[in-house]
Amino acid sequence: QVQLVESGGGLVQPGGSLRLSCRVSGSIFKIDEMGWYRRAPGKQRELVATFTSGDRINYADSVKGRFAISGDTGKETADLQMNSLKFEDTAVYYCFLHGKRLPWGSEDDYWGQGTQVTVSS
């Protein structure tokens, strides 16, 4: 069974910084993509930042220049450094992984339980 274990998050003032971390618990054969999504109150879940096994990185336009994703599909970790946080960054942040648990299995999406980030003065 594959679980994504998240840490970090919390309450921060506008302009502040937070760091989210995610690691894989359990056995997984191959990771194609890993990263972070978020769901703000009353909105749909959206991509924040991801990276692929081929080192391609994607950022949402709203976080470019402020957030930085790091990690390694081989080490099965994904960190998100969030700087210059704004009120509109308030959301539940979810770690995401797309890959194969078994060599003969299908590719699936895996999600963490989510961690709350609140930007408030």
Side-chain angles (χ1 to χ4, degrees):
Q1 187 175 356
V2 176
Q3 289 185 321
L4 301 182
V5 181
E6 301 152 333
S7 61
L11 175 64
V12 64
Q13 292 185 338
S17 298
L18 283 174
R19 186 176 183 87
L20 305 180
S21 294
C22 176
R23 64 173 179 84
V24 177
S25 175
S27 177
I28 190 157
F29 171 69
K30 181 172 73 77
I31 298 174
D32 295 315
E33 187 173 13
M34 197 168 176
W36 293 88
Y37 281 67
R38 68 186 180 187
R39 178 180 284 143
K43 295 187 177 181
Q44 292 187 334
R45 186 159 53 190
E46 63 176 1
L47 179 145
V48 177
T50 64
F51 59 87
T52 70
S53 57
D55 296 328
R56 179 168 55 91
I57 296 177
N58 297 307
Y59 286 105
D61 288 341
S62 60
V63 307
K64 284 180 181 177
R66 300 188 298 121
F67 291 11
I69 190 168
S70 61
D72 190 310
T73 56
K75 294 180 180 178
E76 303 174 357
T77 61
D79 294 334
L80 185 69
Q81 178 65 42
M82 304 184 292
N83 300 323
S84 302
L85 282 160
K86 304 177 180 180
F87 292 119
E88 51 264 42
D89 294 317
T90 295
V92 178
Y93 285 70
Y94 297 89
C95 184
F96 163 80
L97 182 156
H98 180 80
K100 274 189 179 182
R101 190 171 68 86
L102 299 169
W104 54 85
S106 61
E107 294 196 355
D108 292 308
D109 291 338
Y110 297 89
W111 296 93
Q113 291 187 326
T115 184
Q116 178 70 45
V117 172
T118 302
V119 184
S120 175
S121 55

